[in-house]
Amino acid sequence: MRTQSAPWRAAAVLASVLLVGGVAACGNSDTGGGGTKDDGKITMGFSQVGAESGWRTANTTSIKEAATAAGIELKFDDAQQKQENQIKAIRNYIQQKVDVIAFSPVVESGWDTVLKEAKDADIPVILTDRSVDSADKSLYKTFLGSDFVKEGKLAGEWLVEQKKTASGPVNIVELQGNTGAAPANDRKKGFGEAIAANPNLKIIASQPGDFTRAGGKQVMEQFLKANKKIDVLFAHNDDMGLGALEAITAAGKVPGKDITIITVDAVKDGMQALADGKFNFIAECSPLLGPQLMDLAKKVHAGEEVPTRIETEETTFTTEQAKEALPNRKY
Ligand code: AHR
């Protein structure tokens, strides 16, 4: 549990040595000192976005397992996709004087006040999975996670290659993540930039499906009702793509054939759909951030410098690659 940050602890130890030495020299044997006891165990307060997707479940498991393995005491809160719950959890962690706060921000904006409160309390903050748009980068130590723009770009580039001989319009519908979330903003941006290379590729409808299967299904039903010709679906995650599969099948269309489906994440269920030919391409987003997060927590707690940005290593999958990777897929 946190009592003081590393440099302060070092100063306190030195001060108490000097004090004890001074007192002993005066012939007083009282070495009580009066400081608070530090049991040496790091406590991390973690605020998770929610449990909206297979990715999120795998991410939560990774964090919990890694904390146990690293001997870090984890205080965990599920914010149920609500920013106000995350702010409340962070304020609780500040009150509890945890050693490190880590969180995956549900949306990008609106964090400056609470991050300033953590900074004033001398509690380091690590952003994991998603970042914030704060101009003051001193409000957090580092951001560990994916490059979401790159994921969108990889998805778009694959489509450009597939449709390079298309002579007429290719109608694309897009299922976005929750409004204001970094992966929703960035994947949209990366995908849009990549498909601009071919003017035949047009996004004819784009709506949030909140990263959930139910959201993906419901919005895809609306897309199918409102648009006669849909050639491609770009879903910002596997779960929305999996929900959309149900809507597509119910509408009498064959997913992966009548409608090309591109998603992001590469969780097992998504990879199975890709291996089965129901999805056509996935840009990977790794949820296994726990071990790196715990390592960073130890470093920032010890007062060590850490890189301000740590990018997760990721790849992409076609149907053939999914078939090969599935037997060893961890999440
Ligand atoms: O922030 C990562 C995204 O959040 C994942 O791609 C999505 O599945 C999750 O809900």
Side-chain angles (χ1 to χ4, degrees), residues 52-53 55-56 129-130 148 183 187 211 236-237 265 285:
E52 73 282 5
S53 62
W55 189 100
R56 191 64 55 195
D129 162 36
R130 301 179 181 182
F148 299 131
R187 287 172 187 161
F211 285 125
H236 288 189
N237 79 343
D265 277 356
C285 177

Side-chain angles (χ1 to χ4, degrees), residues 115-138:
L115 288 177
K116 176 111 191 355
E117 289 168 24
K119 190 179 174 189
D120 290 345
D122 198 21
I123 302 178
V125 172
I126 300 174
L127 301 177
T128 169
D129 162 36
R130 301 179 181 182
S131 191
V132 298
D133 63 3
S134 304
D136 182 357
K137 305 291 176 211
S138 78

Side-chain angles (χ1 to χ4, degrees), residues 130-262:
R130 301 179 181 182
S131 191
V132 298
D133 63 3
S134 304
D136 182 357
K137 305 291 176 211
S138 78
L139 294 177
Y140 55 92
K141 294 284 176 199
T142 183
F143 164 40
L144 163 69
S146 310
D147 180 341
F148 299 131
V149 177
K150 188 159 131 198
E151 292 166 354
K153 204 163 166 257
L154 290 168
E157 283 170 354
W158 179 83
L159 186 63
V160 168
E161 178 59 25
Q162 296 304 303
K163 302 288 180 188
K164 64 181 175 207
T165 55
S167 51
V170 175
N171 290 348
I172 304 165
V173 295
E174 181 182 33
L175 282 168
Q176 301 173 33
N178 61 289
T179 306
N185 296 339
D186 293 354
R187 287 172 187 161
K188 179 167 188 52
K189 180 173 187 276
F191 184 77
E193 284 171 2
I195 63 165
N198 181 346
N200 278 327
L201 304 183
K202 285 208 168 58
I203 299 180
I204 56 161
S206 182
Q207 295 272 328
D210 295 338
F211 285 125
T212 65
R213 283 192 197 205
K217 182 178 177 204
Q218 197 198 330
V219 178
M220 191 68 204
E221 281 165 358
Q222 292 166 17
F223 286 162
L224 286 159
K225 268 188 205 141
N227 303 280
K228 269 219 162 66
K229 181 180 177 288
I230 296 175
D231 303 302
V232 179
L233 163 65
F234 173 45
H236 288 189
N237 79 343
D238 287 340
D239 280 80
M240 289 191 293
L242 291 162
L245 284 186
E246 294 177 40
I248 293 169
T249 313
K253 294 186 187 290
V254 182
K257 292 201 167 61
D258 296 336
I259 300 180
T260 300
I261 302 179
I262 307 166

Side-chain angles (χ1 to χ4, degrees), residues 46-49 56 59 86 102-106 127-130:
F46 187 91
S47 169
Q48 180 60 289
V49 168
R56 191 64 55 195
N59 180 245
Q86 289 203 293
F103 78 114
S104 171
V106 62
L127 301 177
T128 169
D129 162 36
R130 301 179 181 182

